[in-house]
Amino acid sequence: MKSYKGRGIVLHTLKYGDSSMVVFLLTDVGGRRSYMVQGVRSTRGRGSKLALFQPMFALEFEGLESPHRQMDRFREVRSGIVLRTLPFDVRKSTVALFMAEVLYRLVKESEPNEGLFEFVWSCVSALDAMEEGVANFHLWFLARLSRFLGFFPGNDYHDGDWFDIREGLYTKTPARSVLMMREENARTLHHLMGCDVDRLGDIALNRTRRVDFLNAMLDYYGYHLDAISAVQSVRILQEVF
């Protein structure tokens, strides 16, 4: 079996049999890939590896490519980023669950996408390190992710603009017949697209505004990618934030 080294972000896991699991990763070497991990639920030997495969955990690994195009396996796997807060902060772990599910539902390509991967990898580090602005992180993530999925805003924002979801353009003249983000949400989208992650605490949104903008972004994503409707962690996210 051919071996290769890579980095990956955990998107989803499925139990397989009594002691094994299938792990879906976003990888730097091959986009989205699935791996069979045997004995991970065992109380002996490699049972402790289960802790590695949590949503949005970053891994470094040596993979084994199956000659029969079945799921790959790990020869070695270890943590790629030492996480100091994300596993223990319910707000951050909720955001991580949402991010992982969004990526799992929307990213299907099995080809390398360096820009997307490096963005997601950096998001893990940023979320773990941040002290202020956690409540806005998922909104910033959705706004920035749209750039890598091909439907980010295509023109400059001006004060008072609405946002045409279908065309992906800011506009002064909202059309009644198409999906639009009203002025407040268009302004928030503009701010998030241009905001550095360490300044998210400066964007003042209350709970009502945050939920309203999230729903607007889900409409935006839903118009371009139907799979967003399958994301179940939205409800948990709205309860926490």
Side-chain angles (χ1 to χ4, degrees):
M1 299 176 75
K2 180 181 177 181
S3 67
Y4 58 93
K5 292 185 177 180
R7 293 179 295 154
I9 304 291
V10 178
L11 304 184
H12 188 60
T13 59
L14 289 174
K15 183 179 178 181
Y16 187 86
D18 293 331
S19 62
S20 300
M21 69 182 349
V22 178
V23 179
F24 296 87
L25 301 182
L26 178 67
T27 72
D28 60 343
V29 291
R32 174 171 151 169
R33 287 197 174 190
S34 57
Y35 294 82
M36 174 64 71
V37 185
Q38 294 178 311
V40 74
R41 296 177 180 275
S42 172
T43 57
R44 297 178 297 175
R46 297 171 60 189
S48 61
K49 293 289 186 182
L50 182 62
L52 289 172
F53 303 115
Q54 304 303 312
M56 294 304 289
F57 276 30
L59 307 177
E60 294 178 351
F61 61 88
E62 182 177 355
L64 293 171
E65 193 173 75
S66 170
H68 303 296
R69 296 189 177 183
Q70 297 173 346
M71 284 178 285
D72 291 0
R73 300 175 186 270
F74 296 119
R75 172 174 283 171
E76 294 182 8
V77 60
R78 60 186 178 275
S79 178
I81 297 174
V82 177
L83 298 174
R84 303 185 185 280
T85 65
L86 194 155
F88 314 108
D89 185 322
V90 66
R91 300 175 307 153
K92 293 183 178 182
S93 59
T94 300
V95 171
L97 178 65
F98 173 74
M99 292 165 59
E101 189 179 3
V102 166
L103 292 166
Y104 174 70
R105 300 291 183 187
L106 301 188
V107 178
K108 304 294 186 181
E109 294 78 9
S110 57
E111 298 294 332
N113 185 331
E114 181 180 0
L116 173 62
F117 179 81
E118 294 300 337
F119 166 69
V120 175
W121 185 271
S122 69
C123 282
V124 177
S125 293
L127 180 59
D128 185 66
M130 75 187 314
E131 297 178 0
E132 297 182 356
V134 174
N136 292 331
F137 192 92
H138 60 293
L139 306 178
W140 177 86
F141 172 76
L142 284 179
R144 290 297 189 92
L145 180 64
S146 67
R147 184 176 299 277
F148 299 97
L149 300 180
F151 53 91
F152 60 97
N155 64 339
D156 294 331
Y157 170 84
H158 298 91
D159 193 44
D161 279 353
W162 291 55
F163 184 70
D164 186 328
I165 285 175
R166 182 183 63 183
E167 299 295 334
L169 298 172
Y170 296 109
T171 178
K172 289 290 186 189
T173 55
R176 293 179 178 273
S177 59
V178 298
L179 284 171
M180 304 291 297
M181 282 191 199
R182 65 176 186 270
E183 294 170 86
E184 285 186 339
N185 288 330
R187 183 170 60 251
T188 299
L189 176 61
H190 166 66
H191 287 162
L192 290 170
M193 291 297 295
C195 181
D196 291 334
V197 69
D198 58 356
R199 305 293 300 190
L200 282 176
D202 296 340
I203 298 180
L205 297 174
N206 60 29
R207 185 186 184 94
T208 299
R209 289 282 302 113
R210 203 172 285 119
V211 170
D212 189 54
F213 180 73
L214 175 59
N215 288 333
M217 286 300 292
L218 293 175
D219 286 340
Y220 183 30
Y221 268 71
Y223 180 83
H224 296 278
L225 297 168
D226 290 340
I228 194 71
S229 63
V231 175
Q232 299 297 312
S233 53
V234 172
R235 179 182 55 80
I236 302 173
L237 198 68
Q238 291 174 335
E239 290 177 358
V240 174
F241 298 108

